[in-house]
PDB file of all heavy atoms in Angstrom:
ATOM      1  N   SER A  15      27.376 -17.901  13.316  1.00  0.00           N
ATOM      2  CA  SER A  15      27.183 -16.698  14.118  1.00  0.00           C
ATOM      3  C   SER A  15      28.106 -15.591  13.625  1.00  0.00           C
ATOM      4  O   SER A  15      29.280 -15.827  13.322  1.00  0.00           O
ATOM      5  CB  SER A  15      27.482 -17.028  15.583  1.00  0.00           C
ATOM      6  OG  SER A  15      27.198 -15.931  16.411  1.00  0.00           O
ATOM      7  N   GLY A  16      27.557 -14.393  13.500  1.00  0.00           N
ATOM      8  CA  GLY A  16      28.338 -13.246  13.055  1.00  0.00           C
ATOM      9  C   GLY A  16      28.191 -12.925  11.585  1.00  0.00           C
ATOM     10  O   GLY A  16      28.578 -11.836  11.143  1.00  0.00           O
ATOM     11  N   THR A  17      27.634 -13.826  10.818  1.00  0.00           N
ATOM     12  CA  THR A  17      27.435 -13.582   9.385  1.00  0.00           C
ATOM     13  C   THR A  17      26.066 -12.945   9.159  1.00  0.00           C
ATOM     14  O   THR A  17      25.218 -12.909  10.058  1.00  0.00           O
ATOM     15  CB  THR A  17      27.534 -14.873   8.578  1.00  0.00           C
ATOM     16  OG1 THR A  17      26.514 -15.784   9.005  1.00  0.00           O
ATOM     17  CG2 THR A  17      28.897 -15.519   8.777  1.00  0.00           C
ATOM     18  N   SER A  18      25.873 -12.426   7.945  1.00  0.00           N
ATOM     19  CA  SER A  18      24.599 -11.815   7.579  1.00  0.00           C
ATOM     20  C   SER A  18      23.852 -12.701   6.601  1.00  0.00           C
ATOM     21  O   SER A  18      24.463 -13.385   5.776  1.00  0.00           O
ATOM     22  CB  SER A  18      24.838 -10.426   6.965  1.00  0.00           C
ATOM     23  OG  SER A  18      25.383  -9.548   7.918  1.00  0.00           O
ATOM     24  N   VAL A  19      22.553 -12.672   6.681  1.00  0.00           N
ATOM     25  CA  VAL A  19      21.709 -13.503   5.834  1.00  0.00           C
ATOM     26  C   VAL A  19      20.627 -12.641   5.197  1.00  0.00           C
ATOM     27  O   VAL A  19      19.987 -11.839   5.892  1.00  0.00           O
ATOM     28  CB  VAL A  19      21.036 -14.619   6.658  1.00  0.00           C
ATOM     29  CG1 VAL A  19      20.056 -15.403   5.805  1.00  0.00           C
ATOM     30  CG2 VAL A  19      22.086 -15.535   7.259  1.00  0.00           C
ATOM     31  N   LYS A  20      20.423 -12.817   3.899  1.00  0.00           N
ATOM     32  CA  LYS A  20      19.384 -12.067   3.195  1.00  0.00           C
ATOM     33  C   LYS A  20      18.262 -13.006   2.799  1.00  0.00           C
ATOM     34  O   LYS A  20      18.494 -14.079   2.228  1.00  0.00           O
ATOM     35  CB  LYS A  20      19.955 -11.392   1.949  1.00  0.00           C
ATOM     36  CG  LYS A  20      18.909 -10.591   1.168  1.00  0.00           C
ATOM     37  CD  LYS A  20      19.459  -9.992  -0.110  1.00  0.00           C
ATOM     38  CE  LYS A  20      20.338  -8.808   0.141  1.00  0.00           C
ATOM     39  NZ  LYS A  20      20.724  -8.115  -1.110  1.00  0.00           N
ATOM     40  N   ILE A  21      17.033 -12.580   3.063  1.00  0.00           N
ATOM     41  CA  ILE A  21      15.838 -13.340   2.698  1.00  0.00           C
ATOM     42  C   ILE A  21      15.030 -12.499   1.725  1.00  0.00           C
ATOM     43  O   ILE A  21      14.796 -11.315   1.974  1.00  0.00           O
ATOM     44  CB  ILE A  21      14.990 -13.669   3.943  1.00  0.00           C
ATOM     45  CG1 ILE A  21      15.813 -14.460   4.960  1.00  0.00           C
ATOM     46  CG2 ILE A  21      13.739 -14.446   3.540  1.00  0.00           C
ATOM     47  CD1 ILE A  21      15.124 -14.610   6.310  1.00  0.00           C
ATOM     48  N   GLU A  22      14.620 -13.115   0.606  1.00  0.00           N
ATOM     49  CA  GLU A  22      13.836 -12.406  -0.402  1.00  0.00           C
ATOM     50  C   GLU A  22      12.360 -12.776  -0.326  1.00  0.00           C
ATOM     51  O   GLU A  22      12.012 -13.932  -0.079  1.00  0.00           O
ATOM     52  CB  GLU A  22      14.346 -12.734  -1.808  1.00  0.00           C
ATOM     53  CG  GLU A  22      15.738 -12.224  -2.104  1.00  0.00           C
ATOM     54  CD  GLU A  22      16.136 -12.478  -3.539  1.00  0.00           C
ATOM     55  OE1 GLU A  22      15.424 -13.246  -4.240  1.00  0.00           O
ATOM     56  OE2 GLU A  22      17.161 -11.919  -3.973  1.00  0.00           O
ATOM     57  N   CYS A  23      11.532 -11.801  -0.576  1.00  0.00           N
ATOM     58  CA  CYS A  23      10.085 -11.996  -0.642  1.00  0.00           C
ATOM     59  C   CYS A  23       9.597 -11.394  -1.953  1.00  0.00           C
ATOM     60  O   CYS A  23       9.830 -10.207  -2.211  1.00  0.00           O
ATOM     61  CB  CYS A  23       9.417 -11.315   0.541  1.00  0.00           C
ATOM     62  SG  CYS A  23       7.608 -11.406   0.548  1.00  0.00           S
ATOM     63  N   ARG A  24       8.938 -12.213  -2.764  1.00  0.00           N
ATOM     64  CA  ARG A  24       8.469 -11.750  -4.066  1.00  0.00           C
ATOM     65  C   ARG A  24       6.983 -11.994  -4.253  1.00  0.00           C
ATOM     66  O   ARG A  24       6.483 -13.073  -3.899  1.00  0.00           O
ATOM     67  CB  ARG A  24       9.210 -12.471  -5.205  1.00  0.00           C
ATOM     68  CG  ARG A  24      10.678 -12.143  -5.305  1.00  0.00           C
ATOM     69  CD  ARG A  24      11.323 -12.878  -6.468  1.00  0.00           C
ATOM     70  NE  ARG A  24      12.771 -12.660  -6.506  1.00  0.00           N
ATOM     71  CZ  ARG A  24      13.349 -11.639  -7.106  1.00  0.00           C
ATOM     72  NH1 ARG A  24      12.619 -10.745  -7.763  1.00  0.00           N
ATOM     73  NH2 ARG A  24      14.673 -11.497  -7.083  1.00  0.00           N
ATOM     74  N   SER A  25       6.298 -11.006  -4.791  1.00  0.00           N
ATOM     75  CA  SER A  25       4.922 -11.210  -5.226  1.00  0.00           C
ATOM     76  C   SER A  25       4.996 -11.603  -6.700  1.00  0.00           C
ATOM     77  O   SER A  25       5.520 -10.862  -7.521  1.00  0.00           O
ATOM     78  CB  SER A  25       4.090  -9.940  -5.039  1.00  0.00           C
ATOM     79  OG  SER A  25       4.678  -8.840  -5.705  1.00  0.00           O
ATOM     80  N   LEU A  26       4.493 -12.787  -7.021  1.00  0.00           N
ATOM     81  CA  LEU A  26       4.727 -13.359  -8.345  1.00  0.00           C
ATOM     82  C   LEU A  26       3.728 -12.906  -9.399  1.00  0.00           C
ATOM     83  O   LEU A  26       4.053 -12.812 -10.577  1.00  0.00           O
ATOM     84  CB  LEU A  26       4.730 -14.886  -8.259  1.00  0.00           C
ATOM     85  CG  LEU A  26       5.816 -15.494  -7.368  1.00  0.00           C
ATOM     86  CD1 LEU A  26       5.780 -17.006  -7.457  1.00  0.00           C
ATOM     87  CD2 LEU A  26       7.190 -14.968  -7.749  1.00  0.00           C
ATOM     88  N   ASP A  27       2.487 -12.660  -9.006  1.00  0.00           N
ATOM     89  CA  ASP A  27       1.481 -12.345 -10.013  1.00  0.00           C
ATOM     90  C   ASP A  27       0.698 -11.081  -9.696  1.00  0.00           C
ATOM     91  O   ASP A  27      -0.382 -10.864 -10.245  1.00  0.00           O
ATOM     92  CB  ASP A  27       0.521 -13.525 -10.192  1.00  0.00           C
ATOM     93  CG  ASP A  27      -0.051 -13.997  -8.871  1.00  0.00           C
ATOM     94  OD1 ASP A  27       0.285 -13.404  -7.817  1.00  0.00           O
ATOM     95  OD2 ASP A  27      -0.832 -14.961  -8.886  1.00  0.00           O
ATOM     96  N   PHE A  28       1.260 -10.245  -8.839  1.00  0.00           N
ATOM     97  CA  PHE A  28       0.628  -8.961  -8.557  1.00  0.00           C
ATOM     98  C   PHE A  28       1.688  -8.008  -8.024  1.00  0.00           C
ATOM     99  O   PHE A  28       2.776  -8.425  -7.602  1.00  0.00           O
ATOM    100  CB  PHE A  28      -0.521  -9.103  -7.549  1.00  0.00           C
ATOM    101  CG  PHE A  28      -0.092  -9.495  -6.157  1.00  0.00           C
ATOM    102  CD1 PHE A  28      -0.011  -8.544  -5.145  1.00  0.00           C
ATOM    103  CD2 PHE A  28       0.210 -10.820  -5.843  1.00  0.00           C
ATOM    104  CE1 PHE A  28       0.377  -8.907  -3.858  1.00  0.00           C
ATOM    105  CE2 PHE A  28       0.591 -11.190  -4.572  1.00  0.00           C
ATOM    106  CZ  PHE A  28       0.677 -10.228  -3.570  1.00  0.00           C
ATOM    107  N   GLN A  29       1.367  -6.737  -8.076  1.00  0.00           N
ATOM    108  CA  GLN A  29       2.286  -5.731  -7.565  1.00  0.00           C
ATOM    109  C   GLN A  29       1.925  -5.408  -6.122  1.00  0.00           C
ATOM    110  O   GLN A  29       0.768  -5.136  -5.816  1.00  0.00           O
ATOM    111  CB  GLN A  29       2.218  -4.474  -8.438  1.00  0.00           C
ATOM    112  CG  GLN A  29       2.771  -4.706  -9.839  1.00  0.00           C
ATOM    113  CD  GLN A  29       2.815  -3.431 -10.661  1.00  0.00           C
ATOM    114  OE1 GLN A  29       1.957  -2.560 -10.518  1.00  0.00           O
ATOM    115  NE2 GLN A  29       3.818  -3.303 -11.507  1.00  0.00           N
ATOM    116  N   ALA A  30       2.907  -5.462  -5.270  1.00  0.00           N
ATOM    117  CA  ALA A  30       2.681  -5.292  -3.838  1.00  0.00           C
ATOM    118  C   ALA A  30       3.257  -3.964  -3.376  1.00  0.00           C
ATOM    119  O   ALA A  30       4.464  -3.815  -3.230  1.00  0.00           O
ATOM    120  CB  ALA A  30       3.314  -6.444  -3.068  1.00  0.00           C
ATOM    121  N   THR A  31       2.382  -3.009  -3.146  1.00  0.00           N
ATOM    122  CA  THR A  31       2.835  -1.726  -2.625  1.00  0.00           C
ATOM    123  C   THR A  31       3.361  -1.868  -1.214  1.00  0.00           C
ATOM    124  O   THR A  31       4.305  -1.199  -0.815  1.00  0.00           O
ATOM    125  CB  THR A  31       1.679  -0.712  -2.647  1.00  0.00           C
ATOM    126  OG1 THR A  31       1.182  -0.597  -3.977  1.00  0.00           O
ATOM    127  CG2 THR A  31       2.138   0.647  -2.161  1.00  0.00           C
TER     128      THR A  31
END
Side-chain angles (χ1 to χ4, degrees):
Chain A
S15 185
T17 61
S18 295
V19 175
K20 180 183 285 188
I21 302 170
E22 294 185 348
C23 177
R24 293 181 185 273
S25 56
L26 298 185
D27 52 1
F28 67 102
Q29 292 185 326
T31 303

